[in-house]
Amino acid sequence: MRIAMIGHKRIPSREGGIEICVEELATRMVEAGHEVHVYNRRKKGFKKLRNYKGVRIINTPTIDNKYLDAVVASLLATIYALFGQYDVIHYHALGPSVMAFIPKLLGKKVVCTIHGLDWQRAKWGGWGKKYLQLGERVTVKYADFIIVLSTNIQRYFREEYNRETVYIPNGVNNPQSKEAKIIQNKYGLTKDSYILFLARIVPEKGLHYLIEAYQNIDTDIRLVICGDQSHTTEYLHRIKQMVEKDDRIIMTGFVQGEELEEFYSNALIYVLPSEIEGMPLSLLEAMSYGNCCVISNIPEMTEVIGDKGIVFNSGDVSSLEQALNALITEKDKIGYYKRIVAADMAENFSWHKTVHKTIDLVYKTSPSSQELLTPFNNTANF
């Protein structure tokens, strides 16, 4: 098949979960014999690749602006894709999916993956929020198939729009643990000497709750914050103010490669206190490394971790503090969760299964088929 993917920033990249997802899907589809073109957004400072692991990369011009970046890039990518003779045009995320009506009205097969209900995120308000909500309605009306990453979002589309979706969770690779070499040289960290937060530094990830809870605990175990801000300079400034007088806390900025692998491999506890998620790849990755994970009790994360981690009440500093304190003072519990979590990952979350389902359940299925899911319905609420 000949497939186009639109909506991510660029691959290869770890700028966000969408970028990781697109890279994994595209490269594995090429390995399976398909022709995949991805539409990267041009940005100063990033190399303009033409090919990556057999995936053809088309570099789309855009505007370096919080509100117009995705709009311009997805519009131009869509126009280019109309001339690409694709079997499927696959959009990722709500904002880029606004353009899905264009190829659909011209008879193309359109698939949209909803990575999360982005209009709920704190950084969007006013026009930005309304645009993302428009993307949701366009997706419902025009996409042949909608892929969602959690059953909670699947339920949302069914209840809000009477529209069925295909639940295909993200996958994870089977990693090899790394000794603490780079992180020991750079930060003085050794195995099991730190609590790890690894995500974008944006309000909905709940980092401020973690810092407050951690600072209420009397411990020599350090808190490591890995990640960079995304259009949230004010929030990053707030976080830096919270940690500036606590020398137990390390902020590393964006990490990748072997350094990232070492952080996952040697953490005592991994914490993700998010209030909003789609399906957090960082949680899947932390679990694949056999980490003891502490997460907030939002459905998108609890359905992933089940009983294989510690859950606290979302937005509740006291609940998070109690969870961390209990693990730090009774480290045998940490060992228990580390033992049981890794075994579950290979069976339930693999990129191989994600790619297989995407191709066979979505790309190769007619929208009128009744066998697997409710067909595309142009009368859905709009």
Side-chain angles (χ1 to χ4, degrees):
M1 302 184 75
R2 187 177 171 95
I3 302 154
M5 292 199 182
I6 298 170
H8 62 292
K9 293 183 180 71
R10 61 201 59 83
I11 70 165
S13 169
R14 290 191 61 91
E15 293 173 79
I18 295 175
E19 286 69 41
I20 297 170
C21 178
V22 169
E23 179 179 335
E24 293 288 350
L25 289 177
T27 55
R28 290 168 186 271
M29 286 176 181
V30 167
E31 290 175 0
H34 303 283
E35 182 179 351
V36 184
H37 297 181
V38 302
Y39 286 79
N40 276 6
R41 300 181 204 172
R42 290 184 192 169
K43 188 172 182 179
K44 190 175 181 180
F46 287 86
K47 187 177 180 181
K48 294 180 186 177
L49 298 176
R50 298 293 182 185
N51 188 285
Y52 176 69
K53 295 184 177 180
V55 178
R56 184 185 171 193
I57 295 177
I58 300 163
N59 296 285
T60 309
T62 186
I63 296 173
D64 189 11
N65 177 277
K66 171 182 176 180
Y67 297 102
L68 297 177
D69 180 19
V71 177
V72 173
S74 55
L75 173 60
L76 294 178
T78 297
I79 294 171
Y80 296 160
L82 293 177
F83 300 96
Q85 297 182 326
Y86 296 112
D87 296 297
V88 179
I89 297 180
H90 190 154
Y91 290 88
H92 290 264
L94 289 176
S97 295
V98 169
M99 305 302 165
F101 76 95
I102 300 174
K104 183 59 192 174
L105 290 177
L106 294 174
K108 303 289 185 179
K109 184 169 185 177
V110 174
V111 174
C112 296
T113 293
I114 306 305
H115 293 257
L117 302 178
D118 297 327
W119 53 266
Q120 295 178 343
R121 302 184 190 279
K123 71 176 181 179
W124 297 115
W127 183 88
K129 182 174 182 178
K130 290 179 181 178
Y131 186 81
L132 292 170
Q133 290 173 326
L134 173 62
E136 184 176 290
R137 297 193 297 272
V138 168
T139 297
V140 168
K141 186 173 178 66
Y142 290 101
D144 290 301
F145 292 103
I146 304 171
I147 298 172
V148 295
L149 307 185
S150 75
T151 57
N152 189 51
I153 295 179
Q154 186 175 47
R155 186 163 44 250
Y156 169 81
F157 276 95
R158 184 181 298 123
E159 294 175 354
E160 188 72 18
Y161 298 102
N162 193 29
R163 177 69 198 264
E164 290 299 324
T165 59
V166 189
Y167 167 59
I168 304 179
N170 281 329
V172 68
N173 294 312
N174 187 20
Q176 295 293 321
S177 292
K178 302 283 186 179
E179 292 183 18
K181 295 180 179 178
I182 299 172
I183 63 174
Q184 184 170 17
N185 291 333
K186 289 181 71 172
Y187 308 108
L189 297 171
T190 56
K191 188 168 181 60
D192 294 338
S193 68
Y194 59 94
I195 297 166
L196 177 64
F197 170 92
L198 198 153
R200 287 176 297 118
I201 300 178
V202 292
E204 61 267 20
K205 297 294 184 181
L207 176 56
H208 50 290
Y209 300 127
L210 172 58
I211 293 171
E212 188 175 346
Y214 172 79
Q215 290 179 329
N216 290 336
I217 300 172
D218 182 16
T219 181
D220 293 329
I221 295 169
R222 307 192 74 175
L223 172 61
V224 175
I225 299 169
C226 297
D228 202 358
Q229 59 92 17
S230 175
H231 301 300
T232 53
T233 306
E234 291 183 6
Y235 182 71
L236 178 61
H237 180 67
R238 174 187 171 188
I239 293 299
K240 287 181 176 179
Q241 284 185 320
M242 292 181 72
V243 308
E244 64 182 356
K245 294 182 180 179
D246 193 334
D247 58 11
R248 300 176 301 165
I249 301 177
I250 299 170
M251 294 187 69
T252 69
F254 179 74
V255 295
Q256 59 184 340
E258 287 193 25
E259 185 174 342
L260 172 67
E261 294 170 2
E262 288 188 17
F263 275 122
Y264 275 135
S265 298
N266 296 285
L268 179 67
I269 303 167
Y270 167 88
V271 185
L272 189 59
S274 299
E275 294 182 286
I276 301 170
E277 283 290 352
M279 185 181 212
L281 274 168
S282 61
L283 173 60
L284 290 180
E285 289 175 341
M287 292 171 68
S288 73
Y289 277 89
N291 276 287
C292 173
C293 298
V294 177
I295 62 166
S296 54
N297 63 343
I298 61 174
E300 290 81 0
M301 294 205 289
T302 56
E303 72 180 41
V304 171
I305 206 165
D307 61 354
K308 298 171 180 64
I310 301 293
V311 178
F312 71 94
N313 297 327
S314 178
D316 188 335
V317 173
S318 177
S319 177
L320 177 52
E321 179 186 338
Q322 290 173 17
L324 292 175
N325 220 4
L327 290 172
I328 290 171
T329 55
E330 298 181 48
K331 291 186 180 178
D332 57 321
K333 290 183 179 179
I334 295 176
Y336 167 76
Y337 285 111
K338 285 189 173 189
R339 285 192 298 273
I340 66 171
V341 71
D344 183 61
M345 296 306 297
E347 180 179 353
N348 294 309
F349 301 98
S350 75
W351 284 118
H352 175 75
K353 289 183 179 180
T354 299
V355 170
H356 175 78
K357 289 178 180 179
T358 301
I359 293 172
D360 289 348
L361 298 187
V362 179
Y363 290 177
K364 292 184 178 180
T365 304
S366 167
S368 61
S369 173
Q370 296 284 347
E371 296 176 4
L372 295 170
L373 52 138
T374 299
F376 164 67
N377 183 349
N378 213 22
T379 63
N381 297 332
F382 186 66

